[in-house]
Amino acid sequence: MTLTAAPDVIELPALALVLLVGVPGSGRGAFARHFTPGEVFDARAFPDADALRAAVAARLAAGELAVVIAPTTRPLDRAPWSALAREHDVKAVAVLLDEDRAVLEARSGGTLTREELIAQVSELRRTAGGLRAEGFRQAWHLRGEQIGRVGVRRVPLRVDRRDLSGPFDLIGDVHGCLLELRDLLTRLGYVLDGESVTPPAGRTAVFLGDLTDRGPDSAGVLRLVMGMVASGAALCVTGNHDEKLLRALSGKAVKPLHGLDVTLAELQEAGPTFQAQVRTFLEGLPAHLVLDGGRLIAAHGGLPAHLHGRGSGRARSFALYGDTTGERDELGLPVRRDWAAGYAGAPLVAYGHTPHAEPRWVGNTVNLDTGCAFGGALTALRYPERETLSVPARAVYAPPPRPLPPGQPQE
């Protein structure tokens, strides 16, 4: 790995474990001025390594950035920190402070012998190129005067839209049902003029993924939703069908099942320009969204509390596919656990993915997939009102593999 040479400002994820890598005297304590005291964990302030690790773990579990100053010259020293980041589904970031040896000797104050200092500097520089292999997603290399000059900017994760407070209209799996989508938006008070959509004052639609397949007009749904997102009238998270379509458009080998073959034919007919636009749109979709100050989570397959706001592969997989066992049932469908039954988080989680005959409220979760493409309905949740609104399907576009299970009313 080639370390990233630092510009005047380095960008760090707003939620991460940041390891300040350097030998004694490299300026780690001074560099920590870029962070608040509550974010910085210096090994010298803890009785032992276990106490330090526990404190950092508690910070990450709370969804807060943690900055660690600890002995990190060797890969063996750094391994526990990249592992802790993975355990808490956050990025591990290394900031390597590479100070001149003469400066280090002057600062050491006799705490290290000259031979010890040379050995540590040599080991650090010898192993610095392997930081990505050690599990660090970002690694910044600051040399000499850069250490004191560079600034730090926090970058929110793509899933973090706590700044948006709504009100929202969250819409379940559309699956190519364009006419029903237009019906539902109209019922919600959106004004439609061709593919132009004007939302009610202050409101934003939030699509919960699976825009395509099974229904009669996936290309039309994509045009409408992409236009709404581009105009600021809507947000959208990705679903497993959207993810599979993206892989197909990217040239990956996929099985064109469950209506994907029809969607691809529609996009082929629409032409390469539209296909490129769809691919760009799907690539930019977050796996879930944290909204309204953290009080609302939008995720296609649902999301347990410990994964809210996380950008890890594990969080993404759960948001797309739900809590799967890896097994298949007698119809060849994935076996899924009922994650909502055990959910005890404070945020309301709105999701879809598993169709039911009516909206399914379980605790502080609501499943809005009411099987429109299967002849059911297309459903929205008005938030913060916590009211659902459904429009019936105009036809059965795809036979359901089994009867839709009943929903569950709001308690």
Side-chain angles (χ1 to χ4, degrees):
M1 170 188 177
T2 301
L3 294 180
T4 306
D8 293 335
V9 176
I10 63 175
E11 294 185 341
L12 301 177
L15 175 56
L17 188 156
V18 180
L19 185 64
L20 301 186
V21 180
V23 304
S26 58
R28 291 173 296 173
F31 189 82
R33 75 185 186 281
H34 295 292
F35 309 95
T36 67
E39 294 172 331
V40 178
F41 297 82
D42 191 329
R44 294 172 297 182
F46 292 84
D48 54 43
D50 289 340
L52 172 62
R53 187 184 189 282
V56 175
R59 177 84 181 175
L60 297 177
E64 303 289 348
L65 179 138
V67 180
V68 177
I69 302 174
T72 53
T73 303
R74 304 172 300 165
L76 183 65
D77 303 326
R78 299 187 288 265
W81 300 113
S82 58
L84 186 63
R86 287 193 301 274
E87 181 181 329
H88 289 275
D89 295 280
V90 302
K91 287 184 177 180
V93 178
V95 180
L96 177 62
L97 308 182
D98 187 359
E99 188 56 272
D100 294 337
R101 199 172 74 194
V103 174
L104 295 173
E105 291 177 349
R107 289 176 179 171
S108 69
T111 57
L112 295 175
T113 67
R114 186 170 183 273
E115 290 74 18
E116 289 171 334
L117 186 61
I118 291 173
Q120 289 198 24
V121 170
S122 298
E123 177 67 5
L124 182 66
R125 292 175 178 172
R126 183 185 68 81
T127 62
L131 285 167
R132 181 172 290 277
E134 295 175 25
F136 291 91
R137 299 288 296 278
Q138 291 182 13
W140 299 93
H141 194 178
L142 308 184
R143 295 180 174 88
E145 294 181 357
Q146 286 182 322
I147 297 171
R149 187 179 68 242
V150 75
V152 171
R153 179 183 298 123
R154 313 285 184 93
V155 179
L157 273 64
R158 185 165 54 170
V159 301
D160 185 358
R161 295 311 311 268
R162 287 177 288 184
D163 56 306
L164 300 179
S165 58
F168 300 109
D169 299 306
L170 298 111
I171 298 175
D173 304 33
V174 180
H175 276 305
C177 298
L178 178 61
L179 294 179
E180 290 83 354
L181 175 57
R182 296 179 71 90
D183 290 343
L184 181 60
L185 289 171
T186 300
R187 288 279 306 278
L188 290 167
Y190 292 72
V191 178
L192 283 74
D193 181 8
E195 293 178 3
S196 173
V197 180
T198 303
R203 300 194 75 89
T204 304
V206 182
F207 291 93
L208 296 176
D210 276 10
L211 301 175
T212 64
D213 304 342
R214 295 197 172 111
D217 197 349
S218 291
V221 169
L222 285 166
R223 285 191 184 93
L224 189 68
V225 173
M226 287 164 59
M228 291 180 68
V229 172
S231 71
L235 303 167
C236 187
V237 300
T238 193
N240 58 299
H241 281 255
D242 311 311
E243 175 76 4
K244 191 172 183 180
L245 174 59
L246 175 59
R247 285 189 277 122
L249 292 175
S250 302
K252 306 289 179 58
V254 299
K255 294 181 179 179
L257 305 176
H258 309 300
L260 176 60
D261 54 341
V262 177
T263 298
L264 291 172
E266 291 178 21
L267 297 185
Q268 181 70 25
E269 183 177 351
T273 299
F274 184 63
Q275 292 174 41
Q277 292 170 346
V278 170
R279 177 178 174 180
T280 299
F281 172 72
L282 296 178
E283 287 174 341
L285 293 181
H288 74 280
L289 286 170
V290 181
L291 301 164
D292 192 21
R295 289 177 283 272
L296 174 64
I297 307 296
H300 175 66
L303 204 65
H306 71 277
L307 294 177
H308 293 177
R310 312 295 165 127
S312 68
R314 180 161 46 184
R316 179 178 179 83
S317 178
F318 199 112
L320 264 65
Y321 302 103
D323 191 5
T324 59
T325 67
E327 301 171 314
R328 298 272 174 173
D329 63 15
E330 68 280 2
L331 298 177
L333 299 174
V335 177
R336 300 174 183 140
R337 303 181 185 92
D338 186 3
W339 73 272
Y343 178 73
L348 171 64
V349 180
Y351 69 106
H353 188 48
T354 306
H356 285 71
E358 303 91 19
R360 180 178 185 254
W361 288 89
V362 177
N364 206 20
T365 75
V366 57
N367 182 349
L368 299 173
D369 182 0
T370 46
C372 188
F374 295 138
L378 186 61
T379 297
L381 170 73
R382 293 171 62 84
Y383 174 93
E385 298 88 346
R386 297 173 74 102
E387 300 168 352
T388 59
L389 177 65
S390 299
V391 297
R394 298 193 180 197
V396 177
Y397 302 113
R402 58 168 62 92
L404 299 182
Q408 190 164 326
Q410 185 175 11
E411 298 179 355

